[in-house]
Amino acid sequence: MIAYIARRLLLMIPTILGIMLISFTIVQFAPGGPVERIIAQLQGLDSGASGRISGGGGDLGQQAQMQAAQGDVGSKYRGAQGLDPKFIAELEKQFGFDKPAWQRFLLMIRNYATFDFGKSYFRDASVLQLIKDKLPVSISLGLWMTLISYAVSIPLGIRKAVKDGSRFDTVTSGMIIIGYAIPGFLFAIMLLLLFAGGSFWNIFPLRGLTSENWAELSWPARIVDYVWHITLPVLAMTLGAFATSTFLTKNSFLDEIRKQYVQTARMKGLTERSVLYGHVFRNAMMIVIAGFPGAFVHAFFTGSLLIETIFSLDGLGLLSYEAILNRDYPVVFANLYIFALIGLVINLISDLTYTWIDPRIDFETREV
């Protein structure tokens, strides 16, 4: 097993390099960029997320306005006519575009190997500090959503398999399908209207992960305050999250229950509980575990943008979205690097979990 883990860890290196190389190459051909973003701000044509971001972009804009009348030389950047070519060259140097693309890629990979992500183009902060500031929100949403959805879906799926075709199975299937069909953002708005001071009850807060006086509270009070703030966002994200895993669990258990070895175990006089959890469980759960890494990564990073916006939670989802709009490449690539790395690690943990559930699986004798 140690040799298998070592091979998987080594395989992560070319995988990460491939992901970053493909993404970096695509960005080189994508229209727009940080230089064009600054130029668009000067022309009053930029109405994207950059309008909400303060920092280097505003200072560069003021400098450009003072230099705009100094030259009337054409430029390779759209809308740059009339700007001083020296200023354009300063912009390129500041953003690192004075170097060839291959040099920029190699420098990025070298820095990323030590988790040095540089500074944001449009925020007066390092990328690592920005990610640290936003991480608690994403951890809270993703972790609790994953734990709650699996804690509900696995027992519910098993129960539905045992009661297949019964009234319980039919009613719960209908409820799950309805919940899955309702978009998460729509359910979030409904929760706000019902429980956050809309048209009915004012029970939960509208925004934030904690109260402003959270640091002054005792530890029990902090826990209560945290749960109070996170309840509605987690509910909004969890509503449709457990539908897929519930039906997957049910169908997986149904397939195993109908196999010959289950009938043999029953004929030996084993109780239904012993058959279900002693024989069926470890085989049926394999396919459920296989889908865990994707569900976890999706919930942790990509599934919370609208929820963060609705509940005014400043997390990684919102940070990544604004970074893409503003062509803030250090933030975009840093998030991509971290997402890919965590996804690969979660996949490895998933494989190791296989051996915990079913010791008959031996990755040591298999090729990676």
Side-chain angles (χ1 to χ4, degrees), residues 14-192:
T15 304
I16 287 288
L17 288 176
I19 293 173
M20 299 305 295
L21 178 59
I22 293 173
S23 303
F24 186 85
T25 303
I26 292 175
V27 165
Q28 304 312 305
F29 295 99
V35 176
E36 288 90 339
R37 178 65 67 181
I38 295 296
I39 294 172
Q41 289 177 345
L42 300 179
Q43 304 297 335
L45 302 176
D46 182 19
S47 59
S50 59
R52 301 190 298 271
I53 296 177
S54 61
D59 296 335
L60 290 172
Q62 293 176 0
Q63 183 180 355
Q65 289 174 351
M66 291 186 294
Q67 296 188 6
Q70 295 181 9
D72 193 17
V73 183
S75 173
K76 62 182 178 180
Y77 298 107
R78 182 184 304 175
Q81 290 78 11
L83 294 179
D84 188 352
K86 293 182 179 180
F87 173 71
I88 299 297
E90 291 177 3
L91 280 180
E92 292 180 329
K93 184 176 181 180
Q94 177 170 341
F95 293 131
F97 295 140
D98 57 330
K99 301 181 180 65
W102 66 271
Q103 289 186 10
R104 287 187 277 122
F105 177 75
L106 292 179
L107 179 62
M108 180 182 70
I109 293 300
R110 188 188 69 181
N111 292 335
Y112 281 19
T114 59
F115 291 92
D116 179 9
F117 301 118
K119 291 192 65 175
S120 167
Y121 285 163
F122 297 98
R123 298 172 185 260
D124 190 19
S126 68
V127 176
L128 192 59
Q129 186 60 48
L130 286 174
I131 293 175
K132 287 181 179 178
D133 292 342
K134 316 300 182 185
L135 200 57
V137 173
S138 296
I139 289 177
S140 296
L141 294 178
L143 184 61
W144 287 116
M145 171 188 166
T146 304
L147 291 178
I148 293 175
S149 63
Y150 271 81
V152 172
S153 63
I154 292 177
L156 181 59
I158 296 174
R159 183 69 174 174
K160 285 174 65 63
V162 173
K163 299 290 185 179
D164 183 43
S166 66
R167 181 183 298 272
F168 172 82
D169 181 40
T170 303
V171 172
T172 54
S173 294
M175 295 174 61
I176 291 173
I177 292 173
I178 293 174
Y180 183 74
I182 299 176
F185 72 90
L186 184 61
F187 187 60
I189 295 174
M190 184 175 66
L191 289 176
L192 286 178

Side-chain angles (χ1 to χ4, degrees), residues 150 157 243-253 284 287-289 291:
Y150 271 81
T244 301
S245 51
T246 298
F247 286 119
L248 187 63
T249 303
K250 175 191 173 182
N251 294 333
S252 180
F253 269 81
I287 190 172
V288 178
I289 294 175

Side-chain angles (χ1 to χ4, degrees), residues 191-240:
L191 289 176
L192 286 178
L193 292 175
L194 289 176
F195 302 110
S199 303
F200 296 89
W201 302 280
N202 186 11
I203 301 175
F204 296 97
L206 281 171
R207 59 180 59 86
L209 195 62
T210 57
S211 300
E212 294 182 358
N213 63 335
W214 188 81
E216 304 172 0
L217 301 176
S218 62
W219 278 109
R222 289 184 181 184
I223 295 174
V224 172
D225 182 77
Y226 170 76
V227 173
W228 182 50
H229 280 77
I230 207 68
T231 297
L232 293 187
V234 171
L235 283 177
M237 292 184 64
T238 307
L239 176 66

Side-chain angles (χ1 to χ4, degrees), residues 240-361:
F242 62 85
T244 301
S245 51
T246 298
F247 286 119
L248 187 63
T249 303
K250 175 191 173 182
N251 294 333
S252 180
F253 269 81
L254 281 178
D255 289 340
E256 293 296 324
I257 289 174
R258 293 165 180 168
K259 290 183 178 179
Q260 185 62 43
Y261 76 90
V262 176
Q263 302 298 328
T264 303
R266 287 170 175 167
M267 292 174 62
K268 289 181 178 180
L270 296 178
T271 63
E272 192 65 23
R273 184 178 182 85
S274 298
V275 173
L276 190 62
Y277 292 100
H279 294 75
V280 176
F281 182 81
R282 66 180 183 181
N283 295 322
M285 285 301 296
M286 300 299 294
I287 190 172
V288 178
I289 294 175
F292 177 79
F296 179 80
V297 173
H298 173 79
F300 202 84
F301 296 109
T302 63
S304 59
L305 171 60
L306 291 175
I307 302 300
E308 289 178 10
T309 303
I310 292 172
F311 289 98
S312 300
L313 299 172
D314 195 5
L316 287 178
L318 189 59
L319 174 66
S320 300
Y321 174 71
E322 292 188 343
I324 292 173
L325 288 183
N326 287 283
R327 306 298 195 272
D328 198 346
Y329 294 151
V331 177
V332 173
F333 285 125
N335 278 288
L336 177 64
Y337 179 81
I338 294 175
F339 295 174
L341 186 61
I342 292 181
L344 291 172
V345 172
I346 292 297
N347 271 292
L348 175 58
I349 294 174
S350 176
D351 286 348
L352 298 179
T353 308
Y354 283 147
T355 62
W356 173 67
I357 291 180
D358 191 350
R360 296 173 300 176
I361 297 179

